[in-house]
Amino acid sequence: MAIGRRPKRTLARLAVLVVASTVIFKFVLLPIRVVGYSMEPTFHNRAVNFINRLAYVRGLPRRGDVVGIRFSTSPGDTFHLLLLKRVVGLPGETISFSGGHVCVNGERQDEPYLKLPSDWNVPGKTLGPEEYYFVGDNRSMPPDQHEHGIAERARIVGRVLWKGND
Amino acid sequence: MKLIVRLILLAGLLALAVWSWGFFFPTPQKIIEKRLVKLARLASFSSKDGNIKRLADTERISLLLAQNIQVVVDIPGGKQTMFDNREELLQAALAARPAVKDLVVQFTDIGVVVNSDRKSAAALLTLKAKIGADADWLIEELRFTLKNTNDDWLITRVETVKPLR
């Protein structure tokens, strides 16, 4: 094994590399692999990406952001499975769907990322002060077969790093 | 250099001591977590398993469940399914087995909260299940409720939780 002429220094470098990688890929950029088709065509099945966990340290999620949502709200900071969805509703708003498009307080939104046909018509839901509405970009299936709806701010892990085919 | 070696040895010994303490005197959280992992392992089966193993696994599962266990399953695109006692649940599981060749069940991100009376607890986790070798993973959030009876943590309720409602 080649560890150089200064093994101590090599070991120290290795230790720094391991610690830095662990910190970065656990607390800053969470590596993810997309599984499923609910974000098609923006994010394809098996695509690799990162979740920026510091994205909302200073600001709040905005409409249009694609975020990672933790499944379990169990205590601790471990999560191996996330939902990848787009934020379409902000706290206090009433969100409904008409002809597949999101309506905010009854007003139909322009959604350029929506490429697949959809005929969703879903009655309005009003969000609480800490609540957001999430939905995938692929609304070609019936609404009851697509995971979408309201979750608290605390479930948002961060924003996706690469924006995909927006 | 000697000092560094001594410090490393000391840190190693400390880590060993902490690990040993946790191994020999596990907390209720750790006991419950192990039980849930065991449940997932026992619930998994493959087409290669014989009938004796399947029956033995079902018997072992029954030891983890309370007699009056309640199970409420509500997954997107499916209808709500409920079970009100252990026998009903196990019979349904045994009846479903011939129709399913392989089942892989995994529980990840297990978080356990033991109530202050130390007689009851709740566990939130993410279920990963694969029905059949080539199927997609089914992913659901589950909430388990457990009670401590004679130093034995039994599962009294299992329900699906919708992360988006």
Side-chain angles (χ1 to χ4, degrees), chain A residues 119-139:
Chain A
D119 58 355
W120 285 19
N121 290 298
V122 180
K125 285 183 183 174
T126 301
L127 308 179
E130 280 289 310
E131 292 178 338
Y132 291 80
Y133 201 104
F134 306 93
V135 66
D137 291 354
N138 180 2
R139 299 173 206 162

Side-chain angles (χ1 to χ4, degrees), chain B:
Chain B
M1 184 65 190
K2 273 183 181 175
L3 183 68
I4 291 172
V5 171
R6 280 178 188 166
L7 281 173
I8 290 171
L9 275 174
L10 186 67
L13 279 172
L14 273 174
L16 185 68
V18 169
W19 179 85
S20 303
W21 182 265
F23 183 80
F24 290 110
F25 306 102
T27 59
Q29 282 89 343
K30 205 72 196 165
I31 293 169
I32 291 168
E33 201 176 316
K34 275 188 175 177
R35 293 212 127 203
L36 294 170
V37 171
K38 185 180 175 183
L39 175 66
R41 199 181 65 240
L42 290 171
S44 304
F45 58 85
S46 85
S47 53
K48 292 172 190 164
D49 293 346
N51 286 335
I52 293 174
K53 185 181 184 304
R54 289 185 179 194
L55 281 171
D57 285 351
T58 308
E59 183 61 33
R60 285 188 195 126
I61 288 174
S62 74
L63 298 175
L64 304 174
L65 313 177
Q67 175 67 41
N68 57 348
I69 185 171
Q70 284 189 320
V71 178
V72 184
V73 180
D74 192 0
I75 55 174
K79 62 175 184 178
Q80 194 184 65
T81 311
M82 288 180 74
F83 299 98
D84 278 331
N85 64 69
R86 187 172 62 194
E87 275 60 47
E88 188 188 349
L89 174 68
L90 293 175
Q91 275 174 16
L94 277 174
R97 278 199 168 188
V100 180
K101 279 188 177 176
D102 300 278
L103 176 67
V104 182
V105 178
Q106 292 173 2
F107 293 155
T108 61
D109 305 339
I110 303 172
V112 179
V113 178
V114 178
N115 294 333
S116 53
D117 60 1
R118 298 179 82 81
K119 291 283 176 192
S120 57
L124 271 167
L125 55 87
T126 311
L127 160 77
K128 267 180 87 179
K130 200 173 195 181
I131 305 165
D134 302 321
D136 289 334
W137 287 98
L138 168 77
I139 296 170
E140 288 294 327
E141 184 177 340
L142 295 181
R143 180 185 288 123
F144 283 75
T145 309
L146 301 98
K147 71 171 178 184
N148 190 347
T149 315
N150 302 326
D151 277 342
D152 201 12
W153 285 98
L154 295 177
I155 298 163
T156 57
R157 186 177 168 85
V158 186
E159 59 192 313
T160 47
V161 179
K162 289 183 177 174
L164 302 180
R165 56 187 193 279

Side-chain angles (χ1 to χ4, degrees), chain A residues 25-95:
Chain A
F25 293 121
K26 187 171 168 62
F27 300 107
V28 183
L29 290 174
L30 200 65
I32 58 161
R33 186 164 64 90
V34 179
V35 177
Y37 304 92
S38 79
M39 283 301 289
E40 292 273 359
T42 315
F43 296 96
H44 301 297
N45 184 35
R46 304 184 72 82
V48 174
N49 211 317
F50 290 91
I51 297 288
N52 177 7
R53 297 198 61 188
L54 303 181
Y56 301 121
V57 170
R58 290 194 171 185
L60 293 169
R62 291 181 300 180
R63 196 184 331 278
D65 285 357
V66 177
V67 297
I69 304 156
R70 59 192 297 175
F71 257 95
S72 174
T73 50
S74 60
D77 202 34
T78 59
F79 30 84
H80 296 90
L81 296 162
L82 300 171
L83 281 168
L84 193 66
K85 299 286 174 190
R86 194 179 290 277
V87 178
V88 294
L90 305 178
E93 294 176 342
T94 298
I95 303 300

